[in-house]
Amino acid sequence: NPTLSNYHAIKNACWKEGQPVPYAALCQTLKCCEETSGRLNKTEYLANFYRSVIALNTAEDVVTALHLSLNLLAATYEGVELGIGDMVLIKAISQATGRPNQKIKADMQSLGDLGEVAENSKGSQKLMFKPPPLKMQKVYGQLQKIAKVSGQSSMNTKVDLIKGLLVACVGSEARFLIRSCAGKLRIGVSEATVLSALARAIVFHELGETKNSKFSKERYDRVDAIVKEAYCELPNYKIIVDALLEHGSDNLADHVSLQPGVPLKPMLAHPTKAITEILTRFGAGAEFTAEYKYDGERAQIHLLEDGSFRVYSRNQEDNTSKYPDVMTRMPNCLQDVTSAVIDSESVAWDPETKQILPFQVLTTRKRKDVDAKDIKVQVCIHAFDLLYLNGESLVKKSLRERRELLHKHFKSIEGEFVFATAKDMCEIDELQVFLDQAVKDSTEGLMVKALEDSYEISKRSHSWLKLKKDYLGSGVADSVDVLVMGAYYGKGKRSGNYGGFLLGVYDADNEEYQTVCKLGTGLTDENLKLFTERLEKIKSEKKSYYRLGGVTADVYFEPEMVWEIKCADLSISPVHTAATGLADPSKGISLRFPRFIRERDDKSPEMATSADQIFEMYNSQDVIQNSAARGGPK
Ligand code: ATP
């Protein structure tokens, strides 16, 4: 029951203080989350479970519960992942249940989810001896073991380990065990939901366990913000849980702050499509800085106290092994630095012509375990911010101060490590000239930044405005990152693959995915084949949280794949449901003439464009602005 008080949540827990957490308790919670569509309900189910673990077990158990709710085996940036192929899972299910491979494959074809197949297969199995119930911590340990298995006989070892757990599974345990192994829980729980649930659990925990402890919404909102802020600065559940339990939520910020070696969520910019918008934002006469906007890959470079360097992506993935060349150069750029976090863009570079190369060139560089000898695409780091220096976080300092420290403590080396080209100014005329220069110098345009503002971790801030040359004066200021919700079978030349797609955005207020357009343009035959293969793996039944309005698709997917789309403009739509109720009381907004640009595998679904952003983009179109100015409908 999601509305249980803390007292009852703990009294009703199916295990006692000090006993290991049963895996069944976690799976029951995940099952409840899967069966409910609302984010608030999911949050409560998770919070109830976490409350019991906090009260009855150790901090380590709490971290395991959080990790397993998100199918993590370590902090996200540590990159320990499970994504075991169907073959191995089918073999393990077959061996654990005595059902032939062929039958399991056939069930898989009709159900589309091996987790359910495993649960059903276990359900029909008669056991002579009942194995002891599984414990959450043991399953977590075994999953970590499975993730680390490598080498020649790794397939058999994995099958054995999975089988070992599967024989002891009861009910939905088999479903979630198999889904964990496959790398997808399919319960629609995001990082933000888990953080809210943790905050809720902590509020109850701090209230104590009396029957009449009163839960306050204001307090919950405050702790929710504190926990989320801490996570953005230091995305590590272990450090956060330890600090929460030891020092309390009100003191969390004093104990959890930016640390070299832990990637923070980067500050993001707002799109603008006209230079005049900059004036409106910064006010006439105020000084701001305009930096070149390089078209590469965000690189957060950390120098740890032990002298080692690490590079993290925009998505907090560890990219260190992609950049052995950058690692060897970085020591030459330091001037009195013992530890640091630099925000920068890694850009493909032609050492002969000494010129920046397009983003597409960078994508041809190997992603992992690069051997310095094999590097064909050179990169030059363009540093634009400094977030940490010699033991001190700088995020609260102004950009002016941060930049000064960056220039003082780091040395620019042509073609290797340079500072973003920047110009401080107060006049719009100067901006136009500088923009022309930026375009001539092969960049995407400008990033215009308020000089006196702090670094807003993880925020899409109005202190940073992006001015992209491709979007200046056009209908929309930026491309849109959408989720692939469904697809249509291809016809003619495209038959055998999907030929068109149904795309959507997430609306956090209504806790649903809303459709924003159909797409068939911009995809090559090669792309179609590749995406068809990859989407096949995330095929699912139509989700209860998909708001389809007047469109349907032939097949639906888990909302996981993010595509960047360019469109001519945005308009009110009689069939699509994105941002329904915002621009029009009953209609949504759709993208007109959408065109595929590229997959954004550096973005998680949560980082894709939101329904609110779609509404903002719709509203900022000249035709809408002008109509509003004339007193017409927006
Ligand atoms: P976003 O990061 O805003 O979600 P996106 O990933 O689609 O959008 P863009 O809209 O192209 O990327 O622009 C933002 C990105 O530009 C930053 O994340 C960063 O990687 C890059 N960038 C290049 N030059 C700069 C700069 N001078 N200052 C800040 N970011 C820059």
Side-chain angles (χ1 to χ4, degrees):
N1 177 351
T3 56
L4 284 175
S5 77
N6 196 39
Y7 174 81
H8 286 105
I10 292 158
K11 286 276 171 284
N12 283 357
C14 60
W15 73 102
K16 299 263 169 302
E17 188 165 356
Q19 288 179 349
V21 182
Y23 185 52
L26 169 79
C27 292
Q28 185 56 33
T29 308
L30 301 183
K31 186 166 177 246
C32 289
C33 288
E34 183 178 2
E35 287 167 0
T36 182
S37 60
R39 186 167 47 91
L40 294 182
N41 281 340
K42 288 181 202 272
T43 309
E44 289 215 31
Y45 283 124
L46 289 167
N48 272 340
F49 175 57
Y50 301 157
R51 268 146 70 181
S52 308
V53 182
I54 292 170
L56 306 175
N57 300 85
T58 62
E60 190 189 346
D61 292 313
V62 179
V63 176
T64 301
L66 295 166
H67 278 180
L68 286 178
S69 321
L70 286 166
N71 209 25
L72 295 175
L73 297 177
T76 356
Y77 58 89
E78 289 175 300
V80 186
E81 275 175 10
L82 272 174
I84 293 175
D86 289 355
M87 286 273 289
V88 173
L89 296 176
I90 290 172
K91 213 167 161 190
I93 298 170
S94 164
Q95 290 187 10
T97 62
R99 294 188 71 216
N101 272 358
Q102 284 315 322
K103 284 212 160 133
I104 293 168
K105 271 189 199 153
D107 288 356
M108 164 70 184
Q109 288 295 328
S110 65
L111 285 174
D113 171 24
L114 265 182
E116 264 183 72
V117 176
E119 184 175 341
N120 297 345
S121 305
K122 282 287 301 173
S124 56
Q125 187 185 23
K126 304 238 171 336
L127 287 178
M128 298 251 278
F129 304 101
K130 209 171 147 208
L134 286 171
K135 305 298 178 204
M136 178 182 76
Q137 207 56 264
K138 156 136 195 228
V139 174
Y140 184 64
Q142 292 298 95
L143 290 174
Q144 285 176 321
K145 232 189 222 172
I146 295 168
K148 286 183 192 140
V149 173
S150 61
Q152 271 198 333
S153 57
S154 69
M155 176 156 163
N156 290 339
T157 316
K158 281 181 192 168
V159 170
D160 285 346
L161 287 166
I162 299 168
K163 185 179 72 183
L165 291 169
L166 205 49
V167 287
C169 281
V170 178
S172 62
E173 289 177 327
R175 181 192 323 184
F176 292 110
L177 175 74
I178 292 298
R179 287 190 190 167
S180 277
C181 290
K184 309 255 175 307
L185 280 183
R186 300 176 169 225
I187 55 172
V189 163
S190 66
E191 195 173 78
T193 308
V194 166
L195 288 167
S196 292
L198 171 63
R200 201 176 168 84
I202 287 292
V203 170
F204 275 105
H205 173 68
E206 290 176 350
L207 275 175
E209 286 174 35
T210 56
K211 261 186 190 171
N212 300 322
S213 46
K214 268 224 166 6
F215 178 81
S216 132
K217 169 88 170 61
E218 289 83 65
R219 171 107 192 106
Y220 167 48
D221 287 344
R222 197 163 66 243
V223 176
D224 189 47
I226 293 172
V227 169
K228 283 184 179 153
E229 205 163 297
Y231 189 79
C232 289
E233 193 154 343
L234 200 82
N236 181 309
Y237 286 107
K238 180 168 176 1
I239 298 174
I240 290 177
V241 167
D242 284 348
L244 273 172
L245 296 181
E246 195 175 331
H247 306 287
S249 53
D250 286 331
N251 302 313
L252 186 65
D254 298 336
H255 297 274
V256 174
S257 64
L258 184 52
Q259 251 178 44
V262 182
L264 65 153
K265 302 209 169 190
M267 179 165 173
L268 303 170
H270 261 281
T272 45
K273 61 184 166 50
I275 285 185
T276 46
E277 273 183 54
I278 309 276
L279 247 199
T280 322
R281 160 62 186 92
F282 294 128
E287 196 184 21
F288 51 84
T289 191
E291 293 170 357
Y292 279 11
K293 183 179 182 313
Y294 300 95
D295 196 9
E297 168 179 84
R298 195 137 181 185
Q300 212 180 82
I301 303 179
H302 290 227
L303 166 59
L304 281 64
E305 291 286 349
D306 66 4
S308 65
F309 286 92
R310 307 214 72 80
V311 184
Y312 297 100
S313 73
R314 182 194 185 291
N315 209 5
Q316 295 88 55
E317 276 162 34
D318 193 335
N319 266 349
T320 311
S321 73
K322 180 174 179 179
Y323 290 116
D325 44 348
V326 175
M327 297 298 95
T328 44
R329 290 175 202 157
M330 281 310 295
N332 306 330
C333 309
L334 309 178
Q335 309 190 112
D336 299 327
V337 185
T338 53
S339 57
V341 175
I342 297 167
D343 204 353
S344 74
E345 189 83 350
S346 153
V347 188
W349 175 260
D350 184 338
E352 308 259 298
T353 60
K354 299 191 189 313
Q355 272 183 351
I356 286 171
L357 296 170
F359 172 76
Q360 284 68 23
V361 177
L362 186 66
T363 58
T364 61
R365 190 173 164 125
K366 215 175 126 199
R367 287 174 175 214
K368 267 193 171 120
D369 304 323
V370 173
D371 188 330
K373 294 195 301 292
D374 304 332
I375 293 176
K376 295 201 178 62
V377 176
Q378 299 297 326
V379 294
C380 176
I381 297 296
H382 288 72
F384 52 78
D385 218 320
L386 183 62
L387 315 180
Y388 189 94
L389 181 71
N390 297 343
E392 195 196 342
S393 168
L394 306 181
V395 292
K396 299 262 159 29
K397 291 192 187 296
S398 69
L399 172 58
R400 198 188 287 280
E401 289 170 275
R402 301 196 307 269
R403 198 179 56 177
E404 224 173 84
L405 289 167
L406 175 69
H407 289 212
K408 183 170 159 208
H409 286 274
F410 293 84
K411 207 163 56 196
S412 152
I413 302 175
E414 193 194 43
E416 297 191 357
F417 177 94
V418 298
F419 303 119
T421 303
K423 195 161 187 220
D424 299 351
M425 55 184 83
C426 341
E427 298 292 334
I428 290 300
D429 297 350
E430 283 183 82
L431 196 57
Q432 182 63 60
V433 177
F434 197 50
L435 177 65
D436 294 342
Q437 188 59 46
V439 174
K440 252 193 232 140
D441 288 343
S442 320
T443 72
E444 268 193 299
L446 294 176
M447 277 285 197
V448 187
K449 300 179 177 177
L451 271 168
E452 305 310 329
D453 290 358
S454 61
Y455 188 93
E456 295 178 70
I457 297 171
S458 166
K459 300 254 159 61
R460 191 170 293 285
S461 164
H462 279 102
S463 302
W464 283 17
L465 303 175
K466 48 187 176 190
L467 202 54
K468 292 188 185 175
K469 64 171 186 251
D470 286 353
Y471 296 89
L472 273 186
S474 72
V476 282
D478 206 352
S479 53
V480 182
D481 298 318
V482 293
L483 289 149
V484 186
M485 291 169 69
Y488 304 92
Y489 297 120
K491 298 197 182 92
K493 196 161 84 70
R494 291 185 167 183
S495 69
N497 291 323
Y498 295 128
F501 301 89
L502 178 61
L503 306 178
V505 293
Y506 184 63
D507 178 358
D509 291 337
N510 294 301
E511 302 164 2
E512 62 190 18
Y513 290 84
Q514 305 172 333
T515 67
V516 76
C517 66
K518 285 186 186 177
L519 174 95
T521 322
L523 287 141
T524 59
D525 291 346
E526 225 173 34
N527 271 340
L528 286 175
K529 185 165 177 291
L530 191 89
F531 287 136
T532 301
E533 277 165 22
R534 300 222 343 252
L535 284 164
E536 240 359 62
K537 298 204 176 109
I538 52 169
K539 209 156 102 178
S540 81
E541 76 283 12
K542 187 169 80 193
K543 299 280 171 194
S544 58
Y545 45 84
Y546 276 8
R547 183 163 179 184
L548 295 176
V551 278
T552 50
D554 294 341
V555 278
Y556 296 93
F557 308 111
E558 296 290 325
E560 284 174 14
M561 195 180 272
V562 183
W563 286 357
E564 184 174 351
I565 303 294
K566 198 169 171 173
C567 66
D569 53 40
L570 295 95
S571 62
I572 301 285
S573 162
V575 289
H576 289 288
T577 55
T580 299
L582 296 182
D584 179 283
S586 59
K587 293 179 188 152
I589 296 172
S590 68
L591 310 182
R592 291 207 319 142
F593 305 118
R595 195 179 170 76
F596 175 85
I597 304 181
R598 58 176 155 144
E599 186 191 3
R600 292 296 307 254
D601 53 3
D602 60 330
K603 283 200 172 181
S604 64
E606 289 143 52
M607 293 174 182
T609 308
S610 65
D612 283 343
Q613 278 174 279
I614 291 286
F615 173 57
E616 244 179 67
M617 288 175 95
Y618 167 81
N619 242 351
S620 69
Q621 296 177 111
D622 291 341
V623 6
I624 308 298
Q625 291 285 320
N626 295 342
S627 158
R630 288 196 305 272
K634 272 203 163 184

